């Protein structure tokens, strides 16, 4: 199936004993999406090897990275989990991303993709985030292939207390030298990656990361 296409089908009833056969059925349809899912956090659980940090590498045992992917010490007897199951944008889970720039200065989590976003003419990288009012205001950024960094225009993004969609034109990464046919990694971080400085701490929930094709013209 192709992206951004509406498909139709009809089922007719054939009965050789009836002179009016075949009987036409209703015409049904569905429309395919104009995106692919990069991450929706639905494939993880509380057991190895399916814990979120095995896919989203965080700052564990790395003094230069103050991040943690998921709750570090959930109380399973109180129905807590490594992932968040109440503050979610879609599905059952979102990822709590903890950042602590008080010593490491940069906090980021990274997923290996090895993806080709050029073949199907994708134009936008989109993710949803939800912060906490008491977070420290640290710059929020997304990086492809390590160092192609785009920073959220909202300096207080980490303090936003409702689900917010962040759309990033993929051209912004191309302008930074990324070959969309060879996207190796995607990182989400807090801090000034180009010029790290000591900062504060916080927790932001991440969900529904996608890449989109242009919308269908109406």
């Amino acid at each position: 199936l192709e992206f951004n296409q509406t498909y139709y089908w009809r089922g007719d009833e054939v009965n050789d004993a009836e002179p009016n056969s075949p009987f036409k059925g209703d015409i049904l349809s569905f429309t395919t999406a104009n995106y692919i899912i990069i991450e929706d956090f639905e494939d993880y659980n509380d057991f190895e090897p399916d814990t979120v940090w095995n896919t989203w590498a965080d700052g564990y045992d790395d003094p230069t990275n103050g991040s943690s992917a998921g709750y570090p010490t959930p109380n399973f007897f109180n129905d807590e989990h490594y992932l968040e199951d109440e503050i979610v944008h879609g599905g059952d889970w979102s990822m709590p991303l903890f950042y602590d720039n008080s010593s490491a200065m940069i906090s980021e989590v990274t997923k290996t993709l090895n993806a080709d976003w050029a073949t199907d003419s994708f134009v936008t990288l989109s993710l949803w985030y939800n912060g906490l009012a008491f977070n420290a205001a640290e710059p929020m950024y997304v990086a492809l292939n390590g160092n192609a960094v785009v920073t959220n225009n909202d300096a207080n993004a980490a303090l936003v207390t409702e689900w917010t969609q962040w759309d990033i034109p993929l051209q912004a990464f191309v302008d930074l030298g990324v070959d969309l046919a060879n996207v190796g990694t995607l990182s989400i971080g807090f801090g000034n990656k180009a010029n790290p400085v000591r900062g504060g701490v916080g927790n932001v929930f991440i969900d529904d990361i996608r890449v989109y094709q242009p919308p269908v013209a109406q």
Side-chain angles (χ1 to χ4, degrees):
L1 301 180
E2 297 182 6
F3 290 98
N4 278 336
Q5 296 294 322
T6 299
Y7 291 87
Y8 301 89
W9 79 97
R10 187 185 76 195
D12 296 343
E13 178 184 345
V14 177
N15 187 338
D16 292 339
E18 293 289 340
N20 294 325
S21 174
F23 304 100
K24 291 183 178 180
D26 295 332
I27 296 176
L28 305 176
S29 68
F30 67 90
T31 301
T32 55
N34 66 330
Y35 64 85
I36 60 171
I37 297 171
I38 303 303
E39 181 65 87
D40 58 11
F41 301 101
E42 299 303 303
D43 293 332
Y44 306 110
N45 56 47
D46 297 325
F47 307 98
E48 298 292 352
D50 299 323
T51 48
V52 66
W53 58 79
N54 278 326
T55 297
W56 287 89
D58 59 14
Y60 178 76
D61 206 25
D62 180 358
T64 68
N65 185 347
S67 72
S68 175
Y71 293 111
T73 56
N75 186 332
F76 300 118
F77 294 104
N78 288 341
D79 199 30
E80 296 177 353
H81 305 277
Y82 290 124
L83 291 174
E84 172 62 33
D85 63 353
E86 293 186 1
I87 305 174
V88 298
H89 178 257
D92 295 326
W93 305 108
S94 69
M95 178 179 69
L97 197 171
F98 291 87
Y99 59 92
D100 183 353
N101 294 344
S102 60
S103 58
M105 297 189 286
I106 285 293
S107 301
E108 68 177 22
V109 295
T110 300
K111 178 177 182 176
T112 298
L113 299 177
N114 295 323
D116 179 357
W117 294 348
T119 302
D120 290 307
S121 302
F122 294 111
V123 296
T124 304
L125 172 65
S126 175
L127 64 83
W128 290 82
Y129 64 91
N130 190 338
L132 299 171
F134 53 78
N135 284 343
E138 292 287 308
M140 179 182 184
Y141 66 85
V142 168
L144 297 185
N145 294 350
N147 294 311
V149 178
V150 174
T151 301
N152 196 309
N153 290 330
D154 184 0
N156 294 315
L159 282 64
V160 173
T161 57
E162 61 183 9
W163 282 107
T164 302
Q165 187 174 13
W166 181 16
D167 292 331
I168 307 172
L170 289 177
Q171 185 62 45
F173 295 107
V174 173
D175 293 343
L176 294 170
V178 173
D179 177 4
L180 294 181
N182 186 22
V183 180
T185 61
L186 184 151
S187 302
I188 305 170
F190 291 87
N192 188 330
K193 190 172 174 67
N195 184 27
V197 295
R198 296 192 188 282
V201 302
N203 171 25
V204 174
F205 302 96
I206 308 294
D207 208 353
D208 289 333
I209 306 171
R210 302 169 176 174
V211 286
Y212 282 84
Q213 291 187 326
V216 176
Q218 300 297 321

